Amino acid sequence: MLKNHYNDGLKKHNDLSWLYYENDKFIVKPLLTKEEFHAETQAQHNCVERIYMERVFNGVTHIVVVRKKDQPDTSLITCEVSNDRNIIQYLKAWNNRCHEQDECDFQEEYATYLKSTFTE
């Protein structure tokens, strides 16, 4: 019961239409369950489950993942997005910054998209 309640809270604050995005190479989707946060932490060797899951549950921030479109189940980038739709963090495994040009270009594209959906 507690797990379902927690997952409901994660979905409430992170399953927002403006967080989803895709282009011809990449897709972005929010993490919606404790299990998804755990899997991302394990794959990326980061603190997203330990620190950021609670923040998402409380509506303080949002966590999305970036995947290659042809490998949607393979962890690539973990991204934190603020409530005012700015990218706060965009990191690969072990909290490394992206160095691949197409991944860096996608960060800019996603940031532009997020800002285009923001209204005060």
Side-chain angles (χ1 to χ4, degrees), residues 88-100 103-104 107:
I88 299 170
Q89 298 182 72
Y90 186 86
L91 300 169
K92 297 184 71 131
W94 304 99
N95 292 324
N96 288 310
R97 299 196 186 284
C98 71
H99 296 289
E100 299 294 324
E103 295 169 1
C104 295
Q107 178 181 0

Side-chain angles (χ1 to χ4, degrees), residues 50-98:
R50 182 173 49 86
I51 294 175
Y52 295 93
M53 185 170 66
E54 188 74 21
R55 292 179 184 176
V56 170
F57 179 81
N58 290 317
V60 175
T61 196
H62 308 280
I63 299 294
V64 298
V65 294
V66 178
R67 305 287 192 248
K68 289 185 178 180
K69 212 167 193 178
D70 62 354
Q71 298 174 346
D73 297 324
T74 302
S75 185
L76 181 65
I77 294 167
T78 309
C79 178
E80 179 185 7
V81 178
S82 67
N83 284 316
D84 62 355
R85 302 181 189 192
N86 287 302
I87 294 176
I88 299 170
Q89 298 182 72
Y90 186 86
L91 300 169
K92 297 184 71 131
W94 304 99
N95 292 324
N96 288 310
R97 299 196 186 284
C98 71

Side-chain angles (χ1 to χ4, degrees), residues 3 7 11-13 15-16 32 34 36 39 49-50 52 54 57-58 60 74 76 98 110 114 118:
K3 181 173 85 170
N7 285 347
K11 288 178 186 172
K12 175 183 174 187
H13 294 290
D15 193 12
L16 306 171
L32 302 177
K34 289 178 75 168
E36 289 177 346
E49 178 182 22
R50 182 173 49 86
Y52 295 93
E54 188 74 21
F57 179 81
N58 290 317
V60 175
T74 302
L76 181 65
C98 71
Y110 186 50
L114 289 169
F118 184 66

Side-chain angles (χ1 to χ4, degrees), residues 3-14:
K3 181 173 85 170
N4 288 338
H5 169 73
Y6 205 84
N7 285 347
D8 289 345
L10 291 172
K11 288 178 186 172
K12 175 183 174 187
H13 294 290
N14 222 33

